[in-house]
C-alpha cells in the first residue's frame, strides 16, 4: 500500500494457485458482486473514497502499479468504462494497453482461449474484460495468469459500476442502509441493475424495480427487499434515489417497448415524477443516456443529478480495484 492511500483492512492471503471467484478483490479476480457482504463492501468503499480525495488533490501515488501492465480487452464498444480503467491504471503508474476487437486477431477468428494464451505470453498483470457473453471474464480468469476484472459481461454483471454507484450514494446520503432506491427502465437487459441488486441489498437498501413488465423480469420480485412496479409514479414516490437505466435496443429482439416517445411518456423521468420522490432525492444514470427516452434533459442536468460525479467516482473505484488486486497477487506469490 502506498503511503498516500491508507489500507482500511488487512487482506486475506491466498495460498491456492486456482482462481478464486470471490466478489470484491479478496481473491485474485473481480468477476461479480453476488455473495458480497458489508464486511467486504464497506472497507473497499473507504479505500475508493481515499482515492477520490487523492485524485481531486492531484496527489495520486504513481508507484502503486509501477512496472505493471494493464490490458483493456473490450469485445464491446465502450467509452467511459474503458477510459476510466485507463485513467485509473495510469494514475497508479501502470503501463496501459487498449485492445479492441476491431483491431485484434479476435476479429480474424482467434478463439477466446487462444487470446488468453497470447496474453499469458505478454505477461500482463491486470486484464480488464468486457464481453457480450455472460461468463467470458470468468472463463478467461481460469486460463490467464493475470488478475481479471469484469468490466461487463452480457446481461450478467458490471461490478465496478455498482461499486461506483454505491460510493456516490454514500458520499451524498451518508449511508446505504435503510434507503429506498428506485431502479427504473430496462432491468431485463441490464448488468448494472443485477450488480446493484447484489450490492445494495447486501448493504440494507430496499430496491424498487420500475418499468414495463416486458423489461422487468417477474422473478426479481421474489428476492428479499425487492418490490416491482409497473407504474413510474408509484415506483419513484418517496424514493431516496432514482436510478435510470439505458434502454438497450441492441439487446432486444424487438417489440418489448413501444416508440421512444411513448416509452418516455410512461416511464421517462421528468420533473413532475421527480417531485414525487423525497426532497433532494439523487438522480443517477450509468450512461450513456438517451435523453428524452429514459430521462428528460432538464432532470439529467438538474442540481439533483449526480451523473457526472458517478463518472468521477468510477475512476476512484477502479483505482481501488487495481490496487487491491495487485496486492493480492503479491501476497499470493
Amino acid at each position: 500500500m502506498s503511503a498516500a492511500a491508507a489500507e482500511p483492512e488487512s487482506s486475506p492471503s491466498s495460498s491456492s494457485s486456482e482462481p478464486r471467484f470471490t466478489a470484491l478483490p479478496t481473491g485474485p479476480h473481480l468477476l461479480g458482486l453476488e455473495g458480497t457482504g458489508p464486511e467486504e463492501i464497506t472497507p473497499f468503499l473507504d479505500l475508493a473514497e481515499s482515492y477520490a480525495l487523492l485524485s481531486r488533490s492531484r496527489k495520486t501515488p504513481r508507484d502503486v502499479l509501477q512496472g505493471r501492465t494493464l490490458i483493456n480487452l473490450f469485445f464491446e464498444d465502450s467509452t467511459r468504462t474503458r477510459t476510466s480503467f485507463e485513467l485509473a491504471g495510469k494514475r497508479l503508474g501502470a503501463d496501459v494497453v487498449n485492445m479492441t476487437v476491431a483491431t485484434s486477431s479476435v476479429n480474424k477468428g482467434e478463439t477466446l482461449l487462444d487470446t488468453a494464451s497470447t496474453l499469458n505470453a505478454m505477461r500482463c498483470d491486470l486484464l480488464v474484460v468486457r464481453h457480450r457473453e455472460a461468463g467470458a471474464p470468468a472463463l478467461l480468469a481460469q486460463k490467464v495468469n493475470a488478475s481479471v476484472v469484469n468490466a461487463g459481461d452480457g446481461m450478467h454483471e458490471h461490478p465496478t459500476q455498482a461499486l461506483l454507484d454505491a460510493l456516490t450514494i454514500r458520499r451524498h446520503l451518508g449511508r446505504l442502509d435503510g434507503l429506498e432506491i428506485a431502479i427504473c427502465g430496462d432491468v431485463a437487459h441490464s448488468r448494472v441493475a443485477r450488480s446493484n441488486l447484489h450490492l445494495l441489498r447486501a448493504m440494507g437498501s430496499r430496491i424498487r424495480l420500475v418499468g414495463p413488465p416486458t423489461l422487468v423480469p417477474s422473478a426479481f420480485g421474489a428476492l428479499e427487499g425487492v418490490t416491482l412496479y409497473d407504474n413510474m409514479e408509484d415506483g419513484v414516490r418517496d424514493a431516496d434515489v432514482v436510478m435510470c437505466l439505458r434502454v438497450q435496443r441492441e439487446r432486444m429482439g424487438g417489440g418489448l417497448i413501444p416508440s421512444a416517445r411513448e416509452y418516455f411518456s410512461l416511464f421517462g423521468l421528468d420533473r413532475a415524477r421527480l417531485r414525487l420522490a423525497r426532497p433532494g432525492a439523487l438522480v443517477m444514470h450509468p450512461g450513456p443516456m438517451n435523453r428524452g427516452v429514459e430521462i428528460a434533459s432538464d432532470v439529467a442536468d438538474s442540481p439533483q443529478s449526480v451523473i457526472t460525479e458517478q463518472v468521477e467516482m468510477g475512476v476512484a473505484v477502479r483505482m481501488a480495484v487495481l490496487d487491491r488486486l495487485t496486492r493480492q497477487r503479491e501476497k499470493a506469490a
Side-chain angles (χ1 to χ4, degrees):
M1 193 67 202
S2 70
E7 177 76 38
E9 67 170 359
S10 59
S11 300
S13 62
S14 172
S15 59
S16 172
S17 59
E18 295 298 318
R20 293 175 57 199
F21 300 102
T22 49
L24 278 184
T26 56
H29 310 290
L30 176 58
L31 302 174
L33 295 176
E34 186 172 9
T36 311
E39 69 281 3
E40 295 168 294
I41 296 168
T42 298
F44 176 83
L45 294 181
D46 293 342
L47 177 62
E49 172 69 28
S50 73
Y51 273 122
L53 297 175
L54 286 169
S55 292
R56 287 188 173 182
S57 66
R58 299 183 183 276
K59 296 180 179 177
T60 53
R62 300 278 178 171
D63 61 335
V64 174
L65 298 184
Q66 189 173 29
R68 309 286 182 179
T69 301
L70 163 66
I71 294 181
N72 286 323
L73 181 60
F74 278 62
F75 293 82
E76 289 186 320
D77 292 337
S78 170
T79 300
R80 72 186 63 211
T81 302
R82 191 186 66 181
T83 304
S84 183
F85 272 108
E86 182 176 358
L87 272 175
K90 288 181 174 177
R91 287 182 182 175
L92 295 178
D95 296 319
V96 182
V97 177
N98 293 319
M99 293 178 62
T100 57
V101 171
T103 57
S104 74
S105 294
V106 175
N107 202 36
K108 301 174 183 175
E110 185 174 86
T111 68
L112 193 60
L113 296 184
D114 285 339
T115 299
S117 178
T118 301
L119 294 170
N120 274 338
M122 294 179 179
R123 298 186 178 277
C124 75
D125 301 287
L126 296 151
L127 180 63
V128 179
V129 182
R130 170 168 288 189
H131 200 283
R132 61 184 174 278
E133 298 294 339
L139 177 61
L140 274 171
Q142 297 178 60
K143 303 297 181 182
V144 299
N145 298 324
S147 291
V148 174
V149 182
N150 179 5
D153 60 331
M155 295 183 286
H156 175 223
E157 282 221 39
H158 191 348
T160 57
Q161 178 68 45
L163 288 165
L164 73 88
D165 290 340
L167 179 60
T168 305
I169 294 169
R170 197 182 74 165
R171 286 171 65 90
H172 282 268
L173 302 182
R175 70 188 200 283
L176 294 170
D177 64 296
L179 298 179
E180 294 283 342
I181 298 180
I183 301 176
C184 309
D186 187 358
V187 175
H189 301 97
S190 176
R191 51 202 177 204
V192 173
R194 283 167 175 76
S195 287
N196 266 307
L197 275 170
H198 295 314
L199 189 155
L200 294 172
R201 289 171 58 232
M203 296 301 289
S205 298
R206 290 190 55 81
I207 308 298
R208 307 168 180 187
L209 299 179
V210 189
T214 52
L215 296 182
V216 180
S218 59
F220 284 131
L223 298 175
E224 185 177 354
V226 177
T227 306
L228 309 187
Y229 292 85
D230 60 5
N231 178 284
M232 191 68 174
E233 285 75 11
D234 293 339
V236 304
R237 194 180 306 279
D238 296 326
D240 298 290
V241 177
V242 182
M243 184 184 300
C244 297
L245 300 174
R246 183 173 69 85
V247 175
Q248 301 189 45
R249 289 182 179 273
E250 73 275 14
R251 299 189 197 279
M252 296 181 187
L256 296 183
I257 64 169
S259 66
R261 176 178 296 182
E262 187 173 352
Y263 180 85
F264 180 74
S265 72
L266 294 172
F267 294 101
L269 183 63
D270 57 18
R271 282 196 172 276
R273 286 172 175 146
L274 182 57
R275 280 195 289 270
L276 297 174
R278 291 188 190 279
L282 301 182
V283 174
M284 307 182 75
H285 194 300
M289 287 184 287
N290 293 311
R291 292 173 182 258
V293 179
E294 61 257 7
I295 188 169
S297 276
D298 61 344
V299 171
D301 300 329
S302 71
Q304 288 175 251
S305 170
V306 293
I307 295 171
T308 301
E309 186 172 336
Q310 286 177 267
V311 178
E312 179 187 2
M313 292 306 111
V315 179
V317 159
R318 283 148 189 152
M319 291 172 75
V321 168
L322 299 177
D323 178 337
R324 291 290 296 274
L325 286 177
T326 299
R327 292 176 194 285
Q328 286 299 118
R329 282 171 57 87
E330 290 173 349
K331 288 181 178 179

